[in-house]
Amino acid sequence: MKPTSFLGRSGQRWKLRVSVYLLPYIALAVTVGGQYNLIGATPERNTSFVVIAISIATIGLLSGLFAIRCPTCGTKLLWFAMSNKKVADSLGWLISLSNCPVCGSDGFRS
Ligand SMILES: [Zn+2]
């Protein structure tokens, strides 16, 4: 079955999964780190854990912003979605995208 979305045709769906779906796991890690504090971890250790978790989440988001691109014109599509659509609508718009909004490419390299 051929992929019907732009991200599927251009082979970039995994990039969105890594950058966006990684974030809930990071939030869970931060929550678990907060729970550690309740059972006797030092505040310094807990702070280090939170800083590492936030860094991983930031790297995930930034990698998605810069790595999800149109293979034809190079438009950063997650960046485009987040800067041109409402935050709540941007991921749905990107997932359902059928052609590049800038050059009209269908996602296959030309
Ligand atoms: Zn394009």
Side-chain angles (χ1 to χ4, degrees):
M1 190 169 141
K2 287 184 176 182
T4 57
S5 70
F6 183 88
L7 292 179
R9 287 190 300 266
S10 62
Q12 300 187 79
R13 210 177 304 167
W14 70 271
K15 295 177 184 177
L16 185 66
R17 287 184 181 136
V18 168
S19 67
V20 175
Y21 298 121
L22 186 65
L23 296 179
Y25 288 106
I26 299 304
L28 179 63
V30 170
T31 303
V32 170
Q35 294 294 319
Y36 252 91
N37 202 23
L38 293 176
I39 59 173
T42 63
E44 295 82 15
R45 185 175 175 194
N46 191 41
T47 301
S48 299
F49 183 79
V50 171
V51 168
I52 290 169
I54 291 172
S55 299
I56 291 171
T58 303
I59 289 168
L61 180 60
L62 288 177
S63 65
L65 287 173
F66 289 100
I68 300 173
R69 294 171 167 257
C70 171
T72 303
C73 70
T75 298
K76 299 174 189 89
L77 294 169
L78 182 56
W79 187 283
F80 186 92
M82 296 187 100
S83 57
N84 290 296
K85 304 292 175 188
K86 292 180 185 171
V87 173
D89 300 336
S90 59
L91 282 181
W93 176 85
L94 182 58
I95 289 168
S96 64
L97 189 66
S98 59
N99 290 82
C100 174
V102 175
C103 72
S105 166
D106 60 3
F108 294 110
R109 195 174 295 274
S110 59

